Structures are given as C-alpha cells and as structure tokens.
C-alpha cells in the first residue's frame, strides 16, 4: 500500500507565493516520475509540472518561470514552489507518482490540496 499526502495549499493574494509538498509513504521500493496536476472548477485536470527520477523537469506553458518542481529522493517527497500567483492558478492541486511497491509498479494520487488566489 502506497499513500501520497499533499500539504501547503491555502488562500493567497495575487502575486504571492505558496509551497506545496507531497510525501509518499508505505511499502515503497522505488519512485520513478512524479508530477503535479491541478483541476479548476468546471475544467479538466491538467498536468502542471513533472520531474523524472533523474530530475529532468517539464512545465505547462502557463506556469513556466513562476513555478518550480523539485524532489527529495531520500524522503520520497515532491515539492512545488509557486511564485507570482495569479487568480487563474486557483484549483485543487494533486500529486501523482509512479511507484514500485512490494506488489508492482503503479500510479498513485494524493487527495488534493486547495489553492485559492484572490484579493
């Protein structure tokens, strides 16, 4: 069993910053790629940023230069530093990880954390 738990969401004013964290725990042997997704009300879930096991990163165009994804392999923890936040960044943010557990490789999701950007 693998669990992903996000934290760090909240209410912030436009131009502000937040740092999201996602801790993976359970019967983990190895963690491959990890990613952050978000889903705004009435919209489909979209990939925001991803990071490979070798720390190669990729971002959706709308957050390039403002968001930074990183990971701590020793702690099996994923981060998303979000700067210069805009109202359109408001969404529920989900952590995703491709994990090798005692049973097999699988894709796991966190429960989501709300980010609201508003004055």
């Amino acid at each position: 069993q693998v669990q992903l738990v996000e934290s760090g969401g909240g209410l912030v004013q436009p131009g502000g910053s937040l740092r999201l964290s996602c801790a993976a725990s359970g019967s983990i042997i190895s963690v491959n790629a990890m990613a952050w997704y978000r889903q705004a009300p009435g919209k489909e879930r979209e990939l925001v940023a991803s990071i490979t096991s070798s720390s190669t990163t990729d971002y959706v165009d709308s957050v390039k230069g403002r968001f930074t994804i990183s990971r701590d392999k020793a702690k099996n923890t994923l981060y998303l530093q979000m700067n210069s936040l805009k109202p359109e960044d408001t969404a529920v943010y989900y952590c995703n990880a491709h994990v090798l557990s005692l049973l097999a490789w699988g894709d796991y999701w966190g429960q989501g954390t709300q980010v609201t950007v508003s004055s």
Side-chain angles (χ1 to χ4, degrees), residues 30-111:
S30 179
V31 181
N32 196 358
M34 303 183 80
W36 288 100
Y37 288 73
R38 67 185 178 187
Q39 187 166 20
K43 295 187 177 182
E44 293 187 355
R45 189 173 296 190
E46 71 167 344
L47 176 62
V48 176
S50 63
I51 185 166
T52 68
S53 58
S54 58
S55 296
T56 299
T57 60
D58 196 17
Y59 300 89
V60 67
D61 286 346
S62 60
V63 308
K64 284 181 179 178
R66 300 188 298 121
F67 290 11
T68 302
I69 189 171
S70 62
R71 65 191 291 177
D72 184 331
K73 287 188 174 181
K75 297 181 179 179
N76 285 329
T77 300
L78 178 70
Y79 303 99
L80 185 68
Q81 178 66 44
M82 305 185 294
N83 299 328
S84 302
L85 282 160
K86 304 176 180 180
E88 51 264 43
D89 294 318
T90 295
V92 177
Y93 284 71
Y94 297 91
C95 171
N96 171 265
H98 193 55
V99 177
L100 176 61
S101 70
L102 293 178
L103 296 177
W105 282 103
D107 270 324
Y108 296 88
W109 292 88
Q111 80 286 355

